[in-house]
Amino acid sequence: MKQKVFKIINVDDDNYLPSKLFDIMIVVLIILSMISVILSTFDNIPLWITNLMSKFEIISIVIFTIEYLLRIWTADLLYPHIGKIKSRIKYIFSFMALIDLIAILPFYLPFVTNIDLRSLRLLRLFRMARIFKINRYTTALNSVSNVLIKKKDQLISSLSVVFILMLIASILMYYCEHDAQPDVFDNAFSGFWWAIATLTTVGYGDIYPVTILGKILSAIMALLGIGLVAVPTGIISAGFSEEINEKDDNIEYCPYCGHKLK
């Protein structure tokens, strides 16, 4: 029974029909959950829609809870070499398991805590975490996560350089503009928003320099932003190319007709 459950709830490469149907069901529930969250932001929603959303919330929570518990139960099959208890602990603290827990936890908290329920309304925002569950069931999003994991060192390095540059620029801009605009650049970090908008070439225009030195610094930052902000994009693009090439290398083709072999 555990083997069958494990095969159903995990993404299967053998076109196992129950697994495919389970994946489709979970993806549909996630999408409907997002629609429900969006509808909850509107005022004057008809009562029948509100009641329908409440019933759907209970049904989806029950299904997500069962899925979460089944994944913990079958974790020893996912990590067969580390024992039953350690495998379950490892799974519970994995990224996707934490997303699953965050997605269902706000529903149960009011039943186990004496905190003012009005303060728990903010926890409803964590229902949006369900969208991250869809990553488990789609090949395309799995490719995105694989690329980010493989290129995390390069991405962290490039983003660190960008962050340090923005920090330095905000401090320099403070010394250039503080006397001319004391209300706008009132401390070293007040120009950080300007640095973000300038270095990313967004340029909202709500904060801008008025002195000659400030304008020169702003121009330099804008030019640097064209190249530096593109570095993480280039790293991710290279990662996608490598991911596609790896998948192509793993595909076997018929030596006679050239079609893919299943």
Side-chain angles (χ1 to χ4, degrees), residues 173-174 177-191 206-208 210:
M173 186 58 71
Y174 165 77
E177 295 291 323
H178 176 67
D179 293 337
Q181 303 183 79
D183 294 334
V184 177
F185 295 93
D186 57 342
N187 55 59
F189 289 99
S190 60
D206 53 341
I207 299 177
Y208 54 88
V210 295

Side-chain angles (χ1 to χ4, degrees), residues 2 4 30 36 55 59 62 75 97 116 130-131 134 156 159 161 179 195 198-199 209 211 222 262:
K2 184 183 289 188
K4 290 181 179 179
I30 294 171
S36 176
K55 293 177 180 178
I59 294 172
V62 170
D116 186 358
R130 294 174 191 170
I131 195 65
I134 204 170
I156 291 173
L159 292 175
V161 172
D179 293 337
T198 303
L199 195 62
T211 64
K262 295 184 180 179

Side-chain angles (χ1 to χ4, degrees), residues 2-7 73-80 87:
K2 184 183 289 188
Q3 288 283 356
K4 290 181 179 179
V5 171
F6 177 76
K7 192 174 182 180
W73 180 49
T74 59
D76 56 318
L77 298 178
L78 185 63
Y79 307 109
S87 62

Side-chain angles (χ1 to χ4, degrees), residues 6-20 23 136:
F6 177 76
K7 192 174 182 180
I8 290 173
I9 65 178
N10 286 274
V11 178
D12 194 81
D13 295 328
D14 299 327
N15 293 321
Y16 183 51
L17 183 58
S19 179
K20 297 299 179 184
D23 293 348
R136 181 185 281 132

Side-chain angles (χ1 to χ4, degrees), residues 208-225:
Y208 54 88
V210 295
T211 64
I212 299 297
L213 287 177
K215 290 180 179 179
I216 293 174
L217 178 61
S218 182
I220 294 173
M221 287 293 297
L223 293 174
L224 289 175

Side-chain angles (χ1 to χ4, degrees), residues 95-136:
F95 175 75
M96 289 308 303
L98 292 174
I99 290 297
D100 292 344
L101 181 62
I102 291 172
I104 63 176
L105 193 59
F107 180 83
Y108 295 107
L109 281 179
F111 299 105
V112 296
T113 181
N114 294 324
I115 301 175
D116 186 358
L117 295 182
R118 289 174 295 179
S119 64
L120 292 176
R121 291 176 182 173
L122 290 176
L123 294 177
R124 295 176 182 176
L125 295 175
F126 285 107
R127 291 184 295 171
M128 294 294 292
R130 294 174 191 170
I131 195 65
F132 293 103
K133 288 164 59 67
I134 204 170
N135 179 66
R136 181 185 281 132

